[in-house]
Amino acid sequence: MKDGIKDALILFAITLIAGILLGVVYEITKEPIAYQEDLAIVRACSEVFDEAEIYQEMDEFADDGPTSVVLPMYPGETIDDCMEALSEGEELLGYVITVTTHEGYGGDVTLMLGVTLDGNLNGISILSISETAGLGMQAGDVLVPQFRDKKVSSFVYTKNGATEDNEIDAISGATITTNAVVNAVNAGMYYFYNGIGR
């Protein structure tokens, strides 16, 4: 009986010390991690809208606003953020839209797209992805460049070689990833044409 109580107290002490240490590590690393996340967002904004100097979060996504918007047309995707892309003189040039698709093979895929006021898709940048190595993880190299400087309202993927502006060549062996990325971009474009300021 005494041994059982002694073992329980030792286990409790170890758990308590481990919990305190985890809390200390969390507090120490919280700010550097947040800084790196903010830096990644700034870099992605520059990738998708390099003409802009200022990226200003829209009121709908301010701290007291919704954390995401679900579009009826794209129930597998959420609009997580939308920023105005402004010139140095604060002239509105377009928007930077952050979208998460919940349809990836390995989980959620979050990407950012930059769209000019006339509907030109400057490009996309993948913020997070956890697809299969050697297949879906090729999305950054294979899919991202195909969306650059396209002026279409939605995209489709093809396995036979893209011949039209709205067609994207699928990643061989990673159709689910390709479909998820295309749907995420389409959701962002739909939000641009039907959600922003409407």
Side-chain angles (χ1 to χ4, degrees), residues 94-95 97 115-120 187-196 198:
Y95 300 92
I97 304 166
V115 187
T116 62
L117 291 177
D118 66 353
N120 185 67
M189 295 304 293
Y190 181 87
Y191 184 72
F192 169 76
Y193 282 109
N194 299 283
I196 298 172
R198 295 184 179 55

Side-chain angles (χ1 to χ4, degrees), residues 71-151:
L71 305 170
M73 294 290 293
Y74 295 94
E77 286 70 38
T78 55
I79 307 299
D80 300 322
D81 198 6
C82 185
M83 292 181 275
E84 294 177 331
L86 307 170
S87 68
E88 191 174 351
E90 298 194 17
E91 175 191 353
L92 180 63
L93 303 174
Y95 300 92
V96 176
I97 304 166
T98 305
V99 184
T100 297
T101 176
H102 309 289
E103 299 176 343
Y105 184 79
D108 291 352
V109 178
T110 302
L111 57 86
M112 189 176 273
L113 54 149
V115 187
T116 62
L117 291 177
D118 66 353
N120 185 67
L121 177 60
N122 286 341
I124 69 169
S125 178
I126 296 177
L127 297 176
S128 69
I129 186 169
S130 56
E131 301 295 270
T132 306
L135 295 172
M137 287 302 285
Q138 295 180 47
D141 296 327
V142 177
L143 298 179
V144 169
Q146 296 185 65
F147 289 100
R148 187 169 306 282
D149 292 322
K150 299 285 180 86
K151 191 171 182 180

Side-chain angles (χ1 to χ4, degrees), residues 56-74:
Q56 181 175 297
E57 193 166 48
M58 294 183 62
D59 291 342
E60 297 93 299
F61 293 93
D63 290 338
D64 57 348
T67 54
S68 61
V69 174
V70 178
L71 305 170
M73 294 290 293
Y74 295 94

